[in-house]
Amino acid sequence: MSFFDDDEPIRATRTRPPADRPRPRRPAPAGGRRPSSAAPDPQTLRTRQGIALGAGVIILFLLIFGINGCLNSRTERALKDYNREVTAIIASSNEQVSAPFFDLMASGADAAELQQGVNEVRVVADQDVSRARTLDVPGQMEDAQRYLELTLNLRAEALRKVAERVEAAKATGQDNRQTAEEAVQQIAGQMSALLASDVVYTQRVAPLIKQALDENDITGQTIATSQFLDSIGWLDPDQIAERLGAQRAEGGVGASREPAPGTHGHGIESVAIAGVTLEPGGAVNRITAASGLSFIVKFANQGENDEQDVDVIARIRAPGTVTISVRTTVPSTTSQQSATAQIRLDEAPPIGTPSTIEIEVRPVPGEQVVENNKQEYTALFTR
């Protein structure tokens, strides 16, 4: 028997470490950091940078367009608001100032009542001026605003001066004739200021507002219109005197000058209109109311002196209508010679209503006989 026969055979086995023994760690790299993933290649990096740049540009454009949109919207809103405020102020000037003012002037009220009424209307005109001054004015409306304030100031100031003069204009008595005449002339001057306010508004304010709206492509807006002076007849001192019931100095304001020795005066010879020579008395003169009607008045200098600046007046009255009053001035007339005055109608006469036409050659200084200076006719204007 061999030496090794008494022993068990030895099996080759693989020894495992105990289950609770920790697994040995891998050695850490130098510097104590884990290795990172690989860096992107240059093409990928450029692509990412391009995307980021494009997104930034898009965001920038969106911000720019958003800001511009807000600014444009704000500008449009400001211009519309301004136009709306101006419309409200002009409506007040038309309806709360102009209409009641001219109703008062034609009402026949006594001096104290008329003065009080005009002053009450003037207060509203002053309020319109104050409202205009407090408007929030966009830069593009600054020129329109300047002319708007001028328009409203002209109106308020004219009404103030009229209120100051109506009492003198309605003064009675021989001693007050010249004072009344001067007051009437001064009121007529303020009516010219009211006409000027209409011109300023029509030719400056409204066009400048429209221009600003058009430049910003704003449509659908209504720009207010305004005509404060309701009739150009109010520019005529004779119509003002007639409406106020004011007495006139003979020969008007110039009547105080000393007349030359000898007789003075004129007399009406004939009156024609639209080819019709008017017949006085009860006869009805039928007149075709074409455009551009004019009275042709022939009158004679019946005095011993030549005369200067002779006023000739034509009035048309009809029930329920405003009296039309127009006049012209003949520069000179020659003693014992005839003269002709052409008086153009600026307003359409009443159609289909019997009217009274009154023609008057105003007395000149030193004229004593005035019965033949005035003539009335009955007329019917037709189409």
Side-chain angles (χ1 to χ4, degrees):
M1 175 180 293
S2 168
F3 174 78
F4 295 101
D5 288 342
D6 293 334
D7 293 329
E8 290 286 334
I10 299 172
R11 294 181 180 177
T13 60
R14 189 171 184 176
T15 304
R16 292 184 179 182
D20 55 351
R21 182 182 298 178
R23 179 177 297 178
R25 296 180 180 178
R26 295 180 181 180
R33 295 182 180 178
R34 294 179 177 274
S36 60
S37 58
D41 63 85
Q43 179 64 33
T44 302
L45 184 59
R46 285 194 295 271
T47 301
R48 291 177 181 177
Q49 289 174 341
I51 293 172
L53 179 62
V57 171
I58 292 172
I59 292 172
L60 179 61
F61 273 107
L62 289 176
L63 287 173
I64 292 173
F65 285 125
I67 292 171
N68 283 339
C70 291
L71 292 176
N72 291 338
S73 177
R74 183 181 301 174
T75 298
E76 180 177 340
R77 184 167 59 252
L79 293 173
K80 287 181 177 180
D81 288 346
Y82 179 81
N83 181 49
R84 184 170 56 254
E85 292 292 338
V86 171
T87 298
I89 293 172
I90 290 301
S92 172
S93 185
N94 292 342
E95 299 166 11
Q96 305 301 321
V97 182
S98 173
F101 170 68
F102 286 106
D103 287 345
L104 281 165
M105 293 292 285
S107 66
D110 61 35
E113 182 181 354
L114 181 58
Q115 185 178 46
Q116 179 181 351
V118 174
N119 272 322
E120 289 174 354
V121 173
R122 178 191 57 78
V123 170
V124 181
D126 287 338
Q127 292 172 348
D128 290 338
V129 173
S130 297
R131 288 173 61 190
R133 288 174 177 169
T134 59
L135 288 178
D136 186 6
V137 184
Q140 292 169 282
M141 291 293 190
E142 288 179 353
D143 289 342
Q145 173 70 12
R146 185 170 66 254
Y147 287 114
L148 174 66
E149 291 184 24
L150 174 60
T151 296
L152 298 172
N153 276 312
L154 282 170
R155 294 174 179 181
E157 184 65 13
L159 265 61
R160 183 184 67 79
K161 293 181 178 178
V162 169
E164 292 173 352
R165 302 307 295 158
V166 289
E167 187 172 4
K170 292 175 74 67
T172 58
Q174 185 65 30
D175 294 341
N176 291 321
R177 280 186 176 275
Q178 193 62 34
T179 299
E181 178 70 34
E182 292 172 356
V184 166
Q185 296 288 343
Q186 290 165 354
I187 290 173
Q190 297 311 310
M191 295 299 178
S192 295
L194 294 177
L195 176 61
S197 78
D198 288 343
V199 174
V200 171
Y201 184 84
T202 302
Q203 300 299 318
R204 289 291 182 268
V205 181
L208 287 170
I209 291 176
K210 183 178 186 303
Q211 177 181 325
L213 294 175
D214 289 346
E215 288 176 351
N216 288 271
D217 298 325
I218 299 174
T219 60
Q221 301 299 296
T222 300
I223 299 172
T225 59
S226 183
Q227 181 179 330
F228 194 96
L229 188 71
D230 72 346
S231 167
I232 61 173
W234 284 105
L235 302 175
D236 181 7
D238 292 288
Q239 177 163 318
I240 294 171
E242 185 172 340
R243 297 287 183 84
L244 296 179
Q247 60 178 348
R248 306 298 303 277
E250 291 185 359
V253 173
S256 59
R257 69 180 184 268
E258 190 68 24
T263 59
H264 299 262
H266 300 89
I268 295 174
E269 294 181 330
S270 67
V271 178
I273 182 172
V276 177
T277 300
L278 303 181
E279 295 291 336
V284 177
N285 297 274
R286 296 182 176 273
I287 303 166
T288 302
S291 59
L293 289 176
S294 294
F295 289 102
I296 307 299
V297 181
K298 292 184 178 181
F299 62 102
N301 182 332
Q302 299 170 335
E304 297 171 346
N305 293 274
D306 296 345
E307 306 292 351
Q308 288 79 42
D309 299 327
V310 181
D311 288 337
V312 184
I313 303 165
R315 302 182 183 91
I316 302 175
R317 297 189 181 91
T321 64
V322 175
T323 297
I324 298 173
S325 180
V326 288
R327 73 171 176 175
T328 191
T329 300
V330 178
S332 64
T333 63
T334 304
S335 174
Q336 304 301 313
Q337 299 292 322
S338 294
T340 301
Q342 181 173 351
I343 310 174
R344 181 182 176 86
L345 278 178
D346 295 316
E347 301 178 55
I351 305 299
T353 301
S355 306
T356 298
I357 296 175
E358 180 184 288
I359 304 296
E360 178 185 9
V361 180
R362 294 286 295 159
V364 295
E367 187 169 359
Q368 301 297 320
V369 180
V370 296
E371 286 78 7
N372 56 354
N373 289 55
K374 187 182 293 187
Q375 185 65 63
E376 288 189 354
Y377 307 88
T378 301
L380 182 65
F381 290 91
T382 60
R383 292 295 186 188

